[in-house]
Amino acid sequence: MPPRNLNIIIIAAAISLLCYSTHRRVRPAMIVGDALNLIDMFYVDPVDDDELLTAAMNGMTSTLDENSEYIPGDDYVTFQDSINQEFAGIGIFVEASEDGGPVRVKTPLVGSPALKAGFRPGDLIVRVDNEDVSKMPLPDVSTRLRGPIGTSVNVSVKRLAKTENVDASSNENVAEPVFEIKDLVVQRARIELESVAGDYRDENDRWVFRLREDPTIAYIRLTSFGDKSTDEMTAALKGLDNNYRALVFDLRGNGGGLLHTAADIADMFLDSGNIVSTRTRGGVIESNFDANGGTLVDSKIPIAILIDGNSASASEIVAACLQDNNRATIVGTRSFGKGTVQNILPLQYGRSALRLTVARYYRPSGANIHRATDAKPEDEWGVTPNDTMLVELDEASLLKVSQRWSESAYPALVVDEVLDPNAESSTTIDPQLRRAVEVLKEKMESATPQAAAA
């Protein structure tokens, strides 16, 4: 057989194999596409193509684990904003009213256009650009407040009017609260979100990373592991310059974020040792993160980490790492138990995305943190507080702690208007923080008994 003919046969065979392989991959997509077209053409009622696509994708990912999902357009934008720690808007935190009324302003952000325009905590948003939003759900109101940078939005808020003080000891009937409408015009801007917080803000709106009741104990609360969290943590720790006797690192309510950010932050506390490893399909080790030499926190300074049932993923990586390396005492309640790694895979040229579990991570001890759907309390999952460090919070304490966190973020401009000057201190209202401080003081006293006595 001439060599030319042999080459043609080989090329044809290769093309045939490629076509067969491509057909096997494309065939399921063709079936889904055909079904969407048939529904669109023949279903008895009109259908929305985007809704059909979302339903199809949700059905596909529903057979996977609970952390794999399809992220449609608007949700994908919000997701990217949370990871990038910035968004285009006016700069307020809002919440739904308990009675189903208008969306309430929790607080304008420090340095935001909303603060300059006159927004205050407690304001009820009733109109946006002359549209009544008083009965709209929170997501719809948030969407209307967002928009291109540099554009303006008109917002009408209902605010409790200032009234003369009434003598509560008198027998006169107390008047009903009086509200007034304020029309505010605010220009949208790029708003940067903080992920690192302290115990309170000073008069210049800078976080103070020390406990007000005991400034010798540093306090840092991390709310997420975003793109800027490493730089924020570095700045906070360098600002403290190891000029403290102990550190409380608060990861309660932190649902996680970026894996590399978790590894970087854990490395700030460790001079050596393993941080975390990840394994892909078949248990193959994909990556192994170890501490580099040097730390931002002196190895002699005791650390307590606060966790709860909402501390997940990256929070558990840091807590488990420092617990296994005997670098920190874990205080609070058992963490969530999310020990899987997700990749964000863009779809539709970046207009949507697939959030897909691609690996599991393992703490330095070799244990997998992930809680299976059928896991029992006695099974091994999550991060468990050290012995005698389990501290439960009742609903009243949870509410007080949440309110304390919100109020600590208020800009100095509005603090005197809305806060009680006689409010209880952090350790008074927070049993978990109080226990962390107690164990840190015990460690400080055992390490330097003469200094403590003095």
PDB file of all heavy atoms in Angstrom, residues 135-168:
ATOM      1  N   LYS A 135     -43.820  48.226  49.747  1.00  0.00           N
ATOM      2  CA  LYS A 135     -44.267  46.849  49.945  1.00  0.00           C
ATOM      3  C   LYS A 135     -43.443  45.845  49.141  1.00  0.00           C
ATOM      4  O   LYS A 135     -43.783  44.667  49.080  1.00  0.00           O
ATOM      5  CB  LYS A 135     -45.743  46.729  49.559  1.00  0.00           C
ATOM      6  CG  LYS A 135     -46.668  47.562  50.449  1.00  0.00           C
ATOM      7  CD  LYS A 135     -48.123  47.405  50.042  1.00  0.00           C
ATOM      8  CE  LYS A 135     -49.030  48.260  50.936  1.00  0.00           C
ATOM      9  NZ  LYS A 135     -50.465  48.140  50.548  1.00  0.00           N
ATOM     10  N   MET A 136     -42.354  46.303  48.552  1.00  0.00           N
ATOM     11  CA  MET A 136     -41.509  45.422  47.751  1.00  0.00           C
ATOM     12  C   MET A 136     -40.569  44.621  48.646  1.00  0.00           C
ATOM     13  O   MET A 136     -40.120  45.102  49.693  1.00  0.00           O
ATOM     14  CB  MET A 136     -40.677  46.228  46.755  1.00  0.00           C
ATOM     15  CG  MET A 136     -41.449  46.759  45.577  1.00  0.00           C
ATOM     16  SD  MET A 136     -40.318  47.519  44.372  1.00  0.00           S
ATOM     17  CE  MET A 136     -41.497  48.108  43.163  1.00  0.00           C
ATOM     18  N   PRO A 137     -40.229  43.383  48.239  1.00  0.00           N
ATOM     19  CA  PRO A 137     -39.234  42.611  48.994  1.00  0.00           C
ATOM     20  C   PRO A 137     -37.854  43.233  48.864  1.00  0.00           C
ATOM     21  O   PRO A 137     -37.580  43.997  47.927  1.00  0.00           O
ATOM     22  CB  PRO A 137     -39.294  41.229  48.344  1.00  0.00           C
ATOM     23  CG  PRO A 137     -39.840  41.469  46.982  1.00  0.00           C
ATOM     24  CD  PRO A 137     -40.780  42.627  47.102  1.00  0.00           C
ATOM     25  N   LEU A 138     -37.000  42.881  49.786  1.00  0.00           N
ATOM     26  CA  LEU A 138     -35.664  43.490  49.866  1.00  0.00           C
ATOM     27  C   LEU A 138     -34.868  43.372  48.567  1.00  0.00           C
ATOM     28  O   LEU A 138     -34.263  44.358  48.133  1.00  0.00           O
ATOM     29  CB  LEU A 138     -34.900  42.874  51.040  1.00  0.00           C
ATOM     30  CG  LEU A 138     -33.578  43.536  51.437  1.00  0.00           C
ATOM     31  CD1 LEU A 138     -33.336  43.362  52.937  1.00  0.00           C
ATOM     32  CD2 LEU A 138     -32.397  42.949  50.681  1.00  0.00           C
ATOM     33  N   PRO A 139     -34.791  42.201  47.898  1.00  0.00           N
ATOM     34  CA  PRO A 139     -33.998  42.113  46.658  1.00  0.00           C
ATOM     35  C   PRO A 139     -34.440  43.105  45.587  1.00  0.00           C
ATOM     36  O   PRO A 139     -33.607  43.674  44.873  1.00  0.00           O
ATOM     37  CB  PRO A 139     -34.217  40.662  46.208  1.00  0.00           C
ATOM     38  CG  PRO A 139     -34.573  39.921  47.442  1.00  0.00           C
ATOM     39  CD  PRO A 139     -35.376  40.880  48.256  1.00  0.00           C
ATOM     40  N   ASP A 140     -35.766  43.326  45.471  1.00  0.00           N
ATOM     41  CA  ASP A 140     -36.257  44.255  44.446  1.00  0.00           C
ATOM     42  C   ASP A 140     -35.862  45.697  44.768  1.00  0.00           C
ATOM     43  O   ASP A 140     -35.526  46.481  43.865  1.00  0.00           O
ATOM     44  CB  ASP A 140     -37.783  44.152  44.331  1.00  0.00           C
ATOM     45  CG  ASP A 140     -38.234  42.813  43.752  1.00  0.00           C
ATOM     46  OD1 ASP A 140     -37.372  42.106  43.184  1.00  0.00           O
ATOM     47  OD2 ASP A 140     -39.423  42.477  43.881  1.00  0.00           O
ATOM     48  N   VAL A 141     -35.898  46.050  46.047  1.00  0.00           N
ATOM     49  CA  VAL A 141     -35.496  47.396  46.442  1.00  0.00           C
ATOM     50  C   VAL A 141     -34.000  47.582  46.211  1.00  0.00           C
ATOM     51  O   VAL A 141     -33.553  48.619  45.687  1.00  0.00           O
ATOM     52  CB  VAL A 141     -35.851  47.660  47.919  1.00  0.00           C
ATOM     53  CG1 VAL A 141     -35.360  49.044  48.342  1.00  0.00           C
ATOM     54  CG2 VAL A 141     -37.358  47.550  48.130  1.00  0.00           C
ATOM     55  N   SER A 142     -33.207  46.577  46.558  1.00  0.00           N
ATOM     56  CA  SER A 142     -31.752  46.664  46.365  1.00  0.00           C
ATOM     57  C   SER A 142     -31.408  46.846  44.895  1.00  0.00           C
ATOM     58  O   SER A 142     -30.502  47.614  44.548  1.00  0.00           O
ATOM     59  CB  SER A 142     -31.078  45.402  46.918  1.00  0.00           C
ATOM     60  OG  SER A 142     -31.257  45.290  48.308  1.00  0.00           O
ATOM     61  N   THR A 143     -32.128  46.138  44.026  1.00  0.00           N
ATOM     62  CA  THR A 143     -31.878  46.253  42.588  1.00  0.00           C
ATOM     63  C   THR A 143     -32.121  47.671  42.102  1.00  0.00           C
ATOM     64  O   THR A 143     -31.364  48.205  41.271  1.00  0.00           O
ATOM     65  CB  THR A 143     -32.778  45.276  41.814  1.00  0.00           C
ATOM     66  OG1 THR A 143     -32.471  43.941  42.212  1.00  0.00           O
ATOM     67  CG2 THR A 143     -32.574  45.424  40.311  1.00  0.00           C
ATOM     68  N   ARG A 144     -33.147  48.310  42.622  1.00  0.00           N
ATOM     69  CA  ARG A 144     -33.477  49.676  42.194  1.00  0.00           C
ATOM     70  C   ARG A 144     -32.484  50.702  42.735  1.00  0.00           C
ATOM     71  O   ARG A 144     -32.298  51.765  42.149  1.00  0.00           O
ATOM     72  CB  ARG A 144     -34.904  50.013  42.633  1.00  0.00           C
ATOM     73  CG  ARG A 144     -35.952  49.354  41.764  1.00  0.00           C
ATOM     74  CD  ARG A 144     -37.306  49.283  42.425  1.00  0.00           C
ATOM     75  NE  ARG A 144     -38.329  48.781  41.495  1.00  0.00           N
ATOM     76  CZ  ARG A 144     -38.437  47.502  41.146  1.00  0.00           C
ATOM     77  NH1 ARG A 144     -37.598  46.597  41.641  1.00  0.00           N
ATOM     78  NH2 ARG A 144     -39.387  47.124  40.302  1.00  0.00           N
ATOM     79  N   LEU A 145     -31.849  50.399  43.847  1.00  0.00           N
ATOM     80  CA  LEU A 145     -30.867  51.326  44.410  1.00  0.00           C
ATOM     81  C   LEU A 145     -29.528  51.234  43.673  1.00  0.00           C
ATOM     82  O   LEU A 145     -28.781  52.208  43.624  1.00  0.00           O
ATOM     83  CB  LEU A 145     -30.649  51.042  45.893  1.00  0.00           C
ATOM     84  CG  LEU A 145     -31.836  51.334  46.817  1.00  0.00           C
ATOM     85  CD1 LEU A 145     -31.528  50.880  48.236  1.00  0.00           C
ATOM     86  CD2 LEU A 145     -32.169  52.823  46.806  1.00  0.00           C
ATOM     87  N   ARG A 146     -29.251  50.076  43.099  1.00  0.00           N
ATOM     88  CA  ARG A 146     -28.007  49.912  42.365  1.00  0.00           C
ATOM     89  C   ARG A 146     -28.144  50.503  40.968  1.00  0.00           C
ATOM     90  O   ARG A 146     -29.242  50.707  40.467  1.00  0.00           O
ATOM     91  CB  ARG A 146     -27.628  48.438  42.269  1.00  0.00           C
ATOM     92  CG  ARG A 146     -27.287  47.813  43.604  1.00  0.00           C
ATOM     93  CD  ARG A 146     -26.683  46.442  43.426  1.00  0.00           C
ATOM     94  NE  ARG A 146     -26.305  45.843  44.690  1.00  0.00           N
ATOM     95  CZ  ARG A 146     -25.485  44.802  44.809  1.00  0.00           C
ATOM     96  NH1 ARG A 146     -24.963  44.254  43.732  1.00  0.00           N
ATOM     97  NH2 ARG A 146     -25.195  44.310  45.991  1.00  0.00           N
ATOM     98  N   GLY A 147     -27.006  50.755  40.345  1.00  0.00           N
ATOM     99  CA  GLY A 147     -27.022  51.301  38.994  1.00  0.00           C
ATOM    100  C   GLY A 147     -25.640  51.749  38.580  1.00  0.00           C
ATOM    101  O   GLY A 147     -24.669  51.634  39.342  1.00  0.00           O
ATOM    102  N   PRO A 148     -25.503  52.260  37.372  1.00  0.00           N
ATOM    103  CA  PRO A 148     -24.191  52.682  36.871  1.00  0.00           C
ATOM    104  C   PRO A 148     -23.552  53.750  37.754  1.00  0.00           C
ATOM    105  O   PRO A 148     -24.240  54.627  38.295  1.00  0.00           O
ATOM    106  CB  PRO A 148     -24.510  53.234  35.476  1.00  0.00           C
ATOM    107  CG  PRO A 148     -25.807  52.585  35.101  1.00  0.00           C
ATOM    108  CD  PRO A 148     -26.566  52.429  36.373  1.00  0.00           C
ATOM    109  N   ILE A 149     -22.254  53.657  37.895  1.00  0.00           N
ATOM    110  CA  ILE A 149     -21.506  54.633  38.685  1.00  0.00           C
ATOM    111  C   ILE A 149     -21.665  56.028  38.069  1.00  0.00           C
ATOM    112  O   ILE A 149     -21.587  56.193  36.848  1.00  0.00           O
ATOM    113  CB  ILE A 149     -20.018  54.236  38.741  1.00  0.00           C
ATOM    114  CG1 ILE A 149     -19.855  52.922  39.501  1.00  0.00           C
ATOM    115  CG2 ILE A 149     -19.177  55.332  39.393  1.00  0.00           C
ATOM    116  CD1 ILE A 149     -18.451  52.370  39.474  1.00  0.00           C
ATOM    117  N   GLY A 150     -21.907  57.017  38.915  1.00  0.00           N
ATOM    118  CA  GLY A 150     -22.052  58.392  38.462  1.00  0.00           C
ATOM    119  C   GLY A 150     -23.484  58.827  38.254  1.00  0.00           C
ATOM    120  O   GLY A 150     -23.756  60.021  38.130  1.00  0.00           O
ATOM    121  N   THR A 151     -24.417  57.861  38.196  1.00  0.00           N
ATOM    122  CA  THR A 151     -25.830  58.225  38.049  1.00  0.00           C
ATOM    123  C   THR A 151     -26.425  58.538  39.419  1.00  0.00           C
ATOM    124  O   THR A 151     -25.934  58.090  40.448  1.00  0.00           O
ATOM    125  CB  THR A 151     -26.622  57.094  37.382  1.00  0.00           C
ATOM    126  OG1 THR A 151     -26.529  55.905  38.193  1.00  0.00           O
ATOM    127  CG2 THR A 151     -26.072  56.805  35.994  1.00  0.00           C
ATOM    128  N   SER A 152     -27.506  59.311  39.414  1.00  0.00           N
ATOM    129  CA  SER A 152     -28.162  59.704  40.657  1.00  0.00           C
ATOM    130  C   SER A 152     -29.484  58.962  40.827  1.00  0.00           C
ATOM    131  O   SER A 152     -30.104  58.547  39.852  1.00  0.00           O
ATOM    132  CB  SER A 152     -28.431  61.216  40.679  1.00  0.00           C
ATOM    133  OG  SER A 152     -27.218  61.935  40.681  1.00  0.00           O
ATOM    134  N   VAL A 153     -29.883  58.790  42.078  1.00  0.00           N
ATOM    135  CA  VAL A 153     -31.147  58.153  42.389  1.00  0.00           C
ATOM    136  C   VAL A 153     -31.839  58.964  43.483  1.00  0.00           C
ATOM    137  O   VAL A 153     -31.191  59.463  44.407  1.00  0.00           O
ATOM    138  CB  VAL A 153     -30.937  56.683  42.837  1.00  0.00           C
ATOM    139  CG1 VAL A 153     -30.032  56.598  44.045  1.00  0.00           C
ATOM    140  CG2 VAL A 153     -32.259  56.001  43.111  1.00  0.00           C
ATOM    141  N   ASN A 154     -33.155  59.149  43.322  1.00  0.00           N
ATOM    142  CA  ASN A 154     -33.949  59.869  44.317  1.00  0.00           C
ATOM    143  C   ASN A 154     -34.623  58.858  45.249  1.00  0.00           C
ATOM    144  O   ASN A 154     -35.350  57.974  44.787  1.00  0.00           O
ATOM    145  CB  ASN A 154     -35.023  60.721  43.626  1.00  0.00           C
ATOM    146  CG  ASN A 154     -34.400  61.745  42.688  1.00  0.00           C
ATOM    147  OD1 ASN A 154     -33.613  62.573  43.102  1.00  0.00           O
ATOM    148  ND2 ASN A 154     -34.755  61.682  41.413  1.00  0.00           N
ATOM    149  N   VAL A 155     -34.369  58.996  46.535  1.00  0.00           N
ATOM    150  CA  VAL A 155     -34.892  58.052  47.517  1.00  0.00           C
ATOM    151  C   VAL A 155     -35.676  58.810  48.584  1.00  0.00           C
ATOM    152  O   VAL A 155     -35.171  59.782  49.160  1.00  0.00           O
ATOM    153  CB  VAL A 155     -33.758  57.241  48.186  1.00  0.00           C
ATOM    154  CG1 VAL A 155     -34.340  56.200  49.138  1.00  0.00           C
ATOM    155  CG2 VAL A 155     -32.883  56.575  47.134  1.00  0.00           C
ATOM    156  N   SER A 156     -36.903  58.361  48.836  1.00  0.00           N
ATOM    157  CA  SER A 156     -37.710  58.929  49.912  1.00  0.00           C
ATOM    158  C   SER A 156     -37.728  57.955  51.074  1.00  0.00           C
ATOM    159  O   SER A 156     -38.010  56.770  50.890  1.00  0.00           O
ATOM    160  CB  SER A 156     -39.145  59.197  49.440  1.00  0.00           C
ATOM    161  OG  SER A 156     -39.165  60.139  48.396  1.00  0.00           O
ATOM    162  N   VAL A 157     -37.380  58.449  52.260  1.00  0.00           N
ATOM    163  CA  VAL A 157     -37.348  57.601  53.444  1.00  0.00           C
ATOM    164  C   VAL A 157     -38.309  58.141  54.497  1.00  0.00           C
ATOM    165  O   VAL A 157     -38.538  59.353  54.591  1.00  0.00           O
ATOM    166  CB  VAL A 157     -35.932  57.490  54.031  1.00  0.00           C
ATOM    167  CG1 VAL A 157     -34.978  56.884  53.022  1.00  0.00           C
ATOM    168  CG2 VAL A 157     -35.410  58.847  54.491  1.00  0.00           C
ATOM    169  N   LYS A 158     -38.880  57.221  55.247  1.00  0.00           N
ATOM    170  CA  LYS A 158     -39.736  57.591  56.370  1.00  0.00           C
ATOM    171  C   LYS A 158     -38.912  57.471  57.641  1.00  0.00           C
ATOM    172  O   LYS A 158     -38.362  56.408  57.933  1.00  0.00           O
ATOM    173  CB  LYS A 158     -40.968  56.693  56.426  1.00  0.00           C
ATOM    174  CG  LYS A 158     -41.979  57.122  57.473  1.00  0.00           C
ATOM    175  CD  LYS A 158     -43.351  56.459  57.255  1.00  0.00           C
ATOM    176  CE  LYS A 158     -43.300  54.987  57.577  1.00  0.00           C
ATOM    177  NZ  LYS A 158     -44.654  54.374  57.590  1.00  0.00           N
ATOM    178  N   ARG A 159     -38.828  58.576  58.389  1.00  0.00           N
ATOM    179  CA  ARG A 159     -37.939  58.628  59.549  1.00  0.00           C
ATOM    180  C   ARG A 159     -38.706  59.083  60.782  1.00  0.00           C
ATOM    181  O   ARG A 159     -39.583  59.942  60.690  1.00  0.00           O
ATOM    182  CB  ARG A 159     -36.767  59.574  59.256  1.00  0.00           C
ATOM    183  CG  ARG A 159     -35.771  59.737  60.386  1.00  0.00           C
ATOM    184  CD  ARG A 159     -34.669  60.699  59.970  1.00  0.00           C
ATOM    185  NE  ARG A 159     -33.958  60.243  58.774  1.00  0.00           N
ATOM    186  CZ  ARG A 159     -33.095  60.986  58.081  1.00  0.00           C
ATOM    187  NH1 ARG A 159     -32.876  62.247  58.453  1.00  0.00           N
ATOM    188  NH2 ARG A 159     -32.488  60.497  57.029  1.00  0.00           N
ATOM    189  N   LEU A 160     -38.367  58.494  61.910  1.00  0.00           N
ATOM    190  CA  LEU A 160     -38.992  58.886  63.172  1.00  0.00           C
ATOM    191  C   LEU A 160     -38.610  60.324  63.479  1.00  0.00           C
ATOM    192  O   LEU A 160     -37.427  60.664  63.561  1.00  0.00           O
ATOM    193  CB  LEU A 160     -38.531  57.965  64.300  1.00  0.00           C
ATOM    194  CG  LEU A 160     -39.246  58.085  65.642  1.00  0.00           C
ATOM    195  CD1 LEU A 160     -40.710  57.696  65.500  1.00  0.00           C
ATOM    196  CD2 LEU A 160     -38.560  57.203  66.684  1.00  0.00           C
ATOM    197  N   ALA A 161     -39.614  61.166  63.621  1.00  0.00           N
ATOM    198  CA  ALA A 161     -39.355  62.581  63.890  1.00  0.00           C
ATOM    199  C   ALA A 161     -38.901  62.779  65.326  1.00  0.00           C
ATOM    200  O   ALA A 161     -39.317  62.054  66.241  1.00  0.00           O
ATOM    201  CB  ALA A 161     -40.618  63.398  63.619  1.00  0.00           C
ATOM    202  N   LYS A 162     -38.041  63.763  65.520  1.00  0.00           N
ATOM    203  CA  LYS A 162     -37.573  64.072  66.869  1.00  0.00           C
ATOM    204  C   LYS A 162     -38.685  64.793  67.632  1.00  0.00           C
ATOM    205  O   LYS A 162     -39.293  65.740  67.138  1.00  0.00           O
ATOM    206  CB  LYS A 162     -36.332  64.959  66.818  1.00  0.00           C
ATOM    207  CG  LYS A 162     -35.107  64.251  66.231  1.00  0.00           C
ATOM    208  CD  LYS A 162     -33.890  65.142  66.252  1.00  0.00           C
ATOM    209  CE  LYS A 162     -32.673  64.419  65.697  1.00  0.00           C
ATOM    210  NZ  LYS A 162     -31.462  65.286  65.694  1.00  0.00           N
ATOM    211  N   THR A 163     -38.948  64.302  68.843  1.00  0.00           N
ATOM    212  CA  THR A 163     -39.995  64.901  69.677  1.00  0.00           C
ATOM    213  C   THR A 163     -39.421  65.265  71.030  1.00  0.00           C
ATOM    214  O   THR A 163     -38.347  64.798  71.422  1.00  0.00           O
ATOM    215  CB  THR A 163     -41.160  63.916  69.868  1.00  0.00           C
ATOM    216  OG1 THR A 163     -40.656  62.699  70.454  1.00  0.00           O
ATOM    217  CG2 THR A 163     -41.817  63.585  68.535  1.00  0.00           C
ATOM    218  N   GLU A 164     -40.150  66.116  71.719  1.00  0.00           N
ATOM    219  CA  GLU A 164     -39.722  66.498  73.060  1.00  0.00           C
ATOM    220  C   GLU A 164     -39.816  65.297  73.992  1.00  0.00           C
ATOM    221  O   GLU A 164     -40.691  64.434  73.853  1.00  0.00           O
ATOM    222  CB  GLU A 164     -40.601  67.633  73.600  1.00  0.00           C
ATOM    223  CG  GLU A 164     -40.496  68.915  72.792  1.00  0.00           C
ATOM    224  CD  GLU A 164     -39.106  69.528  72.879  1.00  0.00           C
ATOM    225  OE1 GLU A 164     -38.447  69.350  73.909  1.00  0.00           O
ATOM    226  OE2 GLU A 164     -38.691  70.162  71.894  1.00  0.00           O
ATOM    227  N   ASN A 165     -38.899  65.214  74.958  1.00  0.00           N
ATOM    228  CA  ASN A 165     -38.927  64.124  75.913  1.00  0.00           C
ATOM    229  C   ASN A 165     -40.211  64.169  76.745  1.00  0.00           C
ATOM    230  O   ASN A 165     -40.668  65.235  77.148  1.00  0.00           O
ATOM    231  CB  ASN A 165     -37.718  64.206  76.863  1.00  0.00           C
ATOM    232  CG  ASN A 165     -36.415  63.945  76.133  1.00  0.00           C
ATOM    233  OD1 ASN A 165     -36.394  63.190  75.161  1.00  0.00           O
ATOM    234  ND2 ASN A 165     -35.333  64.553  76.594  1.00  0.00           N
ATOM    235  N   VAL A 166     -40.794  62.991  76.979  1.00  0.00           N
ATOM    236  CA  VAL A 166     -42.017  62.887  77.761  1.00  0.00           C
ATOM    237  C   VAL A 166     -41.696  62.257  79.103  1.00  0.00           C
ATOM    238  O   VAL A 166     -40.954  61.260  79.170  1.00  0.00           O
ATOM    239  CB  VAL A 166     -43.073  62.037  77.017  1.00  0.00           C
ATOM    240  CG1 VAL A 166     -44.328  61.890  77.863  1.00  0.00           C
ATOM    241  CG2 VAL A 166     -43.404  62.663  75.676  1.00  0.00           C
ATOM    242  N   ASP A 167     -42.202  62.836  80.178  1.00  0.00           N
ATOM    243  CA  ASP A 167     -41.973  62.303  81.515  1.00  0.00           C
ATOM    244  C   ASP A 167     -42.745  60.992  81.654  1.00  0.00           C
ATOM    245  O   ASP A 167     -43.974  60.980  81.695  1.00  0.00           O
ATOM    246  CB  ASP A 167     -42.425  63.315  82.562  1.00  0.00           C
ATOM    247  CG  ASP A 167     -42.096  62.838  83.988  1.00  0.00           C
ATOM    248  OD1 ASP A 167     -41.524  61.726  84.107  1.00  0.00           O
ATOM    249  OD2 ASP A 167     -42.409  63.572  84.937  1.00  0.00           O
ATOM    250  N   ALA A 168     -42.001  59.866  81.720  1.00  0.00           N
ATOM    251  CA  ALA A 168     -42.662  58.562  81.776  1.00  0.00           C
ATOM    252  C   ALA A 168     -43.430  58.360  83.067  1.00  0.00           C
ATOM    253  O   ALA A 168     -44.331  57.524  83.151  1.00  0.00           O
ATOM    254  CB  ALA A 168     -41.616  57.450  81.613  1.00  0.00           C
TER     255      ALA A 168
END
